[in-house]
Structure formats: structure tokens, C-alpha cells
Amino acid sequence: MKRKSLVSINDYSKDEILEILELAKKFEENPNRRILDGVVVGVLFFEPSTRTRLSFEAAINRMGGRVVGFSDSSSTSTQKGESLKDTIQTVNQYADLIVMRHPVEGSARYASEVATCPIINAGDGANQHPTQCLLDLYTILQTQNTLDNLNMTFVGDLKYGRTVHSLSIAMTMFNTTFHLVSPFELKLPSAVKLHIKDKKLPYHQYTDLTQAIPLSDIIYMTRIQAERFSDPMEYEKVKNSYVLNRELLTNAKPGMKVLHPLPRVNEIALDVDDSPQAYYFKQAQNGMFVREALIAHMLGLKV
């Protein structure tokens, strides 16, 4: 029987998500558990990535598995016109599991339908980034000792930010109050807000970041992504909308943490890096533990 893919965070139940977070604690205690002997993972990145790709590869290496794949599709047969279906079906012959990032929304779901091995969506366009969501949940749990009844503030590009979409949907499982800070042009998509409303949870929209800071348990900053704009002038209008600096954090709650999926440009000033609220580099490290946990869970391996 084909094992379950992870394309959207909705593919996993709350209980399954909590099982993976619990497993991640074990990998954080000891990341070097060689339980992937003989396992080959296809890592296919049709779009650039530093943290996601390297943390997957680090996770697989620390578990004793092997990686095949590419980080630049310009050197693959896609440049000769090979279809995504043929690429996936070919790698499927070599690998036990495929991790894929692709710029087109829906590509990961399509890959999961044509492959016989499980697919992990490592980001498909502006749609979803479910493994980033899992590591975000792990980091929130680590900093707040709970996922329940928190005030989450999302800041920046809420329209194209796939990490925001996945994490917003996941946090509806935990009775969250949402604070959404963005320029008018980059508001959270209606479909995600409708999902929050369907769960009967409150959300508040702002254009002024200072209004949301004192209310927040977590501030989730995001980069305004130049590559998602077809018109460069539209990007120029909004590119420096929010810059979180240390002075702005003076009104923060005790225990509040600042997260960011990275890379940042200038939306978090450097003077925040050594503040008690900064947690984004530890968040990046957590990605490796969570991806080890996900792979072990997906392949049914005992930890």
C-alpha cells in the first residue's frame, strides 16, 4: 500500500501532527539516529532554497539515508521539454520517497497522484509549505509550552506567503486568535480567512504593526517577495512596509517570540537579533529535527 504523502497541512490530522512534534523532540535530543540504512530519497528542487533543501539533506544524512536529485532544474531534462509527470515517474524508479519544491501551485498534489512513493511538498508556488508549518508549530510549542489559546500575529506578505497560509490553517486546530498585519494589497487570501471563520475563531486585520505587538504571543514576520510580483512598480510600493526593530518590542508581552521563515531582507532590523524575543535562527535549526521526525513517521520507522 502506498504510504501517505504530505502535500497540504490538511492531509494530516491534529493527532498525527502532534505525533510528529513529539518525535521531533527525540531527534532534537539525538539527531544522529541511523534508521534510513538502504533508503534513497529524491530531493527535487525546481526553485531555489537554502534552509529547506539543506535541512532535508542534513536530516537524511544524519539518519543514514542517501540523497539523489537536483537543486537547479536548468541542468535537468526539463530543459529538453520533459514533463513534470515523466520526471516524477523516473525518479520514482530510484527513490523510496520524493521531496519536491516547484514554483507552480498544485504541482505537489499532481506529483502525489502520479508517483507510487510518498511525496513531501517542500513548497508549491504561493500555495502551501507544510513542512515549514510543522517546524513552526514545533517552535511555537517549544517557546510557549502550548499551542492552545495563543495570539498569533502574522506580518508582511500574507497574500503570497505560503508559510503563512499553511500555519494559519494549522493554528485553527488550537483555538487561536489571529492578528493579520499587511498592506492592503497583500492581505490574507479570502479562502484562508474563510477557513478561520468556519472554525469560529476571531481574526483582526491591521495596517499598523504597533497596534498588534502588545497583543501577541508570537509575531511571525515574513519577507515581501519581489519574485511574486509581475509588476516591479507594485513591489516598490510595498517593499519596506514593515521593519521590526528593538524599540518596537518594548511593549511586547513577557515571553513573546519573533519568528520568521527566512530569508529576511530588512523586515527585522539587526538589533533584534540579540534580543530575548529573537528566535528565528533556532526556528531554522528546528527544521532539521522536524524533517527527521516527518520522514520517520511517513516511512513507519521506529525511533
Side-chain angles (χ1 to χ4, degrees), residues 209-271:
L209 171 59
T210 61
Q211 291 181 283
I213 288 175
L215 307 171
S216 308
D217 296 303
I218 294 287
I219 295 180
Y220 194 92
M221 298 295 296
T222 65
R223 176 175 63 95
I224 294 181
Q225 306 169 85
E227 65 271 26
R228 303 293 180 206
F229 287 79
S230 55
D231 181 350
M233 292 305 294
E234 292 302 311
Y235 169 69
E236 289 297 319
K237 288 181 191 171
V238 296
K239 68 177 183 181
N240 292 319
S241 296
Y242 304 104
V243 179
L244 183 66
N245 59 38
R246 195 151 179 166
E247 185 180 353
L248 289 175
L249 295 174
T250 54
N251 292 327
K253 287 183 186 179
M256 187 279 283
K257 297 297 179 192
V258 177
L259 307 186
H260 190 306
L262 301 176
R264 70 172 157 182
V265 181
N266 60 354
E267 57 277 2
I268 301 178
L270 295 178
D271 67 358

Side-chain angles (χ1 to χ4, degrees), residues 186-206:
L186 296 175
K187 284 186 173 180
L188 193 69
S190 298
V192 183
K193 286 189 283 196
L194 189 59
H195 184 85
I196 295 171
K197 286 175 78 172
D198 285 346
K199 301 291 182 183
K200 303 190 184 316
L201 296 172
Y203 71 82
H204 310 281
Q205 299 187 93
Y206 314 78

Side-chain angles (χ1 to χ4, degrees), residues 9-174:
I9 197 63
N10 283 327
D11 293 339
Y12 278 49
S13 68
K14 180 178 177 179
D15 286 345
E16 287 173 314
I17 289 171
L18 293 175
E19 282 174 25
I20 293 167
L21 303 190
E22 196 60 36
L23 269 182
K25 285 185 194 174
K26 295 185 178 180
F27 280 105
E28 182 162 9
E29 291 164 5
N30 176 13
N32 300 308
R33 298 172 185 264
R34 301 184 71 78
I35 57 176
L36 287 188
D37 184 37
V39 173
V40 175
V41 180
V43 178
L44 314 182
F45 274 66
F46 294 85
E47 195 178 57
S49 164
T50 303
R51 276 149 298 278
T52 303
R53 181 174 63 81
L54 293 182
S55 67
F56 264 114
E57 292 185 358
I60 295 159
N61 278 296
R62 285 183 181 276
M63 297 167 76
R66 284 168 288 176
V67 173
V68 296
F70 52 82
S71 59
D72 179 3
S73 63
S74 66
S75 61
T76 71
S77 292
T78 58
Q79 296 306 305
K80 301 175 185 173
E82 184 178 60
S83 68
L84 177 61
K85 179 180 179 182
D86 284 3
T87 301
I88 294 297
Q89 289 191 327
T90 301
V91 177
N92 197 162
Q93 308 307 311
Y94 312 139
D96 303 290
L97 171 72
I98 293 176
V99 178
M100 187 182 88
R101 169 170 289 193
H102 199 284
V104 177
E105 293 182 26
S107 54
R109 181 66 68 195
Y110 177 71
S112 74
E113 291 168 357
V114 300
T116 56
C117 70
I119 298 285
I120 297 177
N121 179 10
D124 60 332
N127 186 29
Q128 287 254 345
H129 196 345
T131 63
Q132 176 72 41
C133 177
L134 290 171
L135 79 89
D136 292 339
L137 291 171
Y138 182 70
T139 306
I140 294 166
L141 180 61
Q142 190 173 63
T143 61
Q144 306 297 317
N145 295 317
T146 182
L147 290 170
D148 294 310
N149 305 312
L150 296 176
N151 279 272
M152 284 286 303
T153 295
F154 293 94
V155 184
D157 179 359
L158 310 189
K159 179 178 180 180
Y160 299 113
R162 56 194 174 197
T163 62
V164 172
H165 303 165
S166 293
L167 185 55
S168 297
I169 291 168
M171 288 304 294
T172 63
M173 302 178 189
F174 301 100

